[in-house]
Amino acid sequence: FDRFMVEEQFGWRVAEQAPQALRILNTDDLHSLRKVREACHKKGEEFTLEKWLGEDITKREIASVYRSDLSLLVSTFEMELLHGELKLPNEILMHLPFLLNEITEEKVQGWPFFEQRTGFITYGNGKHAPNVDSIKYLKETVWPLIRKELPKATLKVFGAYLPQQVLQMHDPKQGFLIEGWIEDLDSEIQKARVCLAPLRFGAGIKGKLAQAMQNGTPNVTSKIGVEGMHQNMDWPGQVADGSNNFAQAAITLHNNYDSWQAAQAKGVSLVRELYAKVPLQRQLQSRLEDLFGNLAQHRSQNFIGSLLQHQTLASTKFMGKWIEEKNRK
C-alpha cells in the first residue's frame, strides 16, 4: 500500500480475499507529520508532538500502521517517533531509506572541480508544498542577503509543475533564475557549487539532498532538511535556520574551498554508509522471508492490529459496498 489512505481503502479487501498475503505499508514519510507541521507553519505556531497526536489524520495513519504486517519508514526520526514515543512494536516497523547506487571513485573523479562550478541551485516538484515555501523563502528573505555579499552570484530554480507565483519570481537582474523542468537535472547540479534547501516544514527524508550528494554538490539546509538522514555521521554541508544564519552558511560554503571539499567527501561517505542499495535490499529480503515463514505467529503478537482490522472490516467494508451500489445506480 502506497501511503495509509490506500491501505484504508483496500486493506480490508486484501485481508478478506487474500488473508495469507503479506500486507506492507510504504509510508514514504509520515503524511500526518508533514501535514500538521505545515498547518502549524501557516498559523505561525510552534509544532509539538501533542498537536500532532491530537489530529484525526495522525490517528488514521497510526491505525493503518497497526493493521499492516510491516510498515516501511525512510527516516530514523520517524522510526524513533513510532517505536520510542508511541511504543509501536518494532516487529511491525522497518527502517528502509533510499536505495542508492554506489558512488565509485571513478564517478568522483569525473565530477567538476570546485573551480569549475559556480553559483547556487535549488530544485523540487512544484506540487509539494514544502518546496514552494522554500523557494518563496529564498526569494524574499535569503537571496537578497546572499546577493549583497556575492553581487554576481546566481541561483537556478528547477522543478516540474512550478506554480504561477514561483514563475513570477524570475528576476535575471538579481540572479534569481526560474528554469522549470529539465530532463538532465544531474548535469545542472554538478555545475552548481552549492545546493540550497531552506525547508521550514516537511517529513521523511529529502530526495533533493540525497541527489546533491550523488552529484558531489555540498548543501545548506535546515534542521527539518537533515532530520532522520545522517544518524551520527557529519552532514555534508551546513545546517542553519533563520535567514541570516542560512545566508552566511551559504556564502561561507560557496567561497571556502577547504570547507567545500570536506563537505563533498562527507556526502560520498554518507551515501556509501547509509544508503547503499545492495545491503539494504538484502535486509529487506531477509525481513520479508522471516515474515512469510512466521506470518500467523507475527499477527498473533499484534493484537491491536487484529482489533483494528476487525473494526475496519465491520465499518469500511460496508461503507465501500454502499458506495459501489450507489455508483452502480
Side-chain angles (χ1 to χ4, degrees):
F1 308 108
D2 186 25
R3 291 197 176 278
F4 79 92
M5 299 84 76
V6 178
E7 188 280 332
E8 284 183 329
Q9 185 176 359
F10 297 103
W12 66 269
R13 299 174 187 267
V14 174
E16 186 179 74
Q17 300 297 326
Q20 297 308 308
L22 190 61
R23 299 189 295 273
I24 303 173
L25 174 63
N26 181 35
T27 62
D28 289 328
D29 59 28
L30 285 180
H31 189 75
S32 58
L33 183 64
R34 176 161 50 84
K35 285 295 184 182
V36 175
R37 279 176 168 169
E38 180 181 354
C40 289
H41 175 72
K42 289 181 176 179
K43 295 176 183 177
E45 299 176 354
E46 182 182 359
F47 169 83
T48 65
L49 292 182
E50 288 73 19
K51 290 178 181 177
W52 174 62
L53 291 170
E55 294 295 327
D56 288 346
I57 191 173
T58 305
K59 299 177 179 68
R60 288 171 55 197
E61 188 162 29
I62 301 304
S64 181
V65 171
Y66 267 115
R67 283 192 299 265
S68 302
D69 295 314
L70 184 68
S71 290
L72 305 177
L73 296 141
V74 295
S75 165
T76 55
F77 173 82
E78 293 174 8
M79 274 289 294
E80 176 59 27
L81 193 60
L82 297 190
H83 179 58
E85 292 287 336
L86 301 189
K87 310 303 179 186
L88 269 70
N90 219 21
E91 291 75 19
I92 64 173
L93 306 174
M94 181 177 182
H95 175 232
L96 188 72
F98 299 141
L99 279 65
L100 304 181
N101 292 323
E102 179 186 1
I103 300 179
T104 63
E105 285 302 321
E106 182 181 5
K107 185 171 185 179
V108 172
Q109 295 302 318
W111 287 336
F113 303 131
F114 177 85
E115 298 82 2
Q116 296 172 307
R117 298 171 180 244
T118 183
F120 302 86
I121 190 171
T122 191
Y123 42 90
N125 192 301
K127 291 185 177 180
H128 193 55
N131 290 336
V132 175
D133 176 78
S134 173
I135 296 170
K136 183 179 179 182
Y137 181 59
L138 280 170
K139 179 66 166 68
E140 296 177 353
T141 310
V142 176
W143 187 243
L145 299 174
I146 295 176
R147 281 281 289 198
K148 187 175 181 180
E149 296 276 340
L150 303 174
K152 294 183 179 181
T154 60
L155 170 61
K156 293 182 178 180
V157 181
F158 293 93
Y161 309 111
L162 295 179
Q164 188 62 32
Q165 62 171 310
V166 170
L167 297 177
Q168 291 175 346
M169 295 177 189
H170 184 67
D171 188 354
K173 290 183 179 180
Q174 292 300 314
F176 199 89
L177 309 174
I178 306 298
E179 304 286 354
W181 181 85
I182 186 172
E183 185 171 354
D184 186 7
L185 179 60
D186 288 333
S187 65
E188 291 294 333
I189 297 174
Q190 291 184 23
K191 293 176 185 176
R193 194 172 287 179
V194 178
C195 172
L196 302 180
L199 298 163
R200 298 192 286 180
F201 57 90
I205 59 178
K206 313 305 180 290
K208 58 170 60 63
L209 298 177
Q211 192 169 0
M213 295 178 219
Q214 288 180 293
N215 286 284
T217 305
N219 65 79
V220 182
T221 188
S222 60
K223 291 180 181 177
I224 288 288
V226 303
E227 182 183 88
M229 283 200 72
H230 63 116
Q231 297 185 26
N232 295 321
M233 299 185 68
D234 291 339
W235 185 252
Q238 297 288 329
V239 182
D241 286 294
S243 55
N244 288 314
N245 291 338
F246 193 95
Q248 194 55 55
I251 293 166
T252 300
L253 192 57
H254 183 275
N255 290 348
N256 190 304
Y257 170 79
D258 290 336
S259 297
W260 187 90
Q261 192 70 27
Q264 185 185 76
K266 290 174 183 177
V268 173
S269 297
L270 197 148
V271 170
R272 288 173 176 172
E273 184 72 22
L274 302 182
Y275 298 94
K277 178 189 291 185
V278 174
L280 289 171
Q281 286 177 328
R282 289 174 184 155
Q283 292 174 27
L284 177 61
Q285 182 176 349
S286 176
R287 188 71 178 272
L288 297 183
E289 289 174 353
D290 288 343
L291 282 173
F292 272 122
N294 302 279
L295 191 55
Q297 181 182 0
H298 174 77
R299 287 177 175 171
S300 70
Q301 295 173 343
N302 181 15
F303 179 75
I304 294 178
S306 299
L307 178 67
L308 290 169
Q309 187 68 47
H310 171 77
Q311 294 299 313
T312 301
L313 283 169
S315 57
T316 314
K317 171 182 177 179
F318 291 104
M319 175 61 74
K321 288 183 174 295
W322 179 80
I323 292 173
E324 288 176 356
E325 188 64 26
K326 179 183 178 183
N327 290 339
R328 189 178 296 116
K329 293 180 179 179

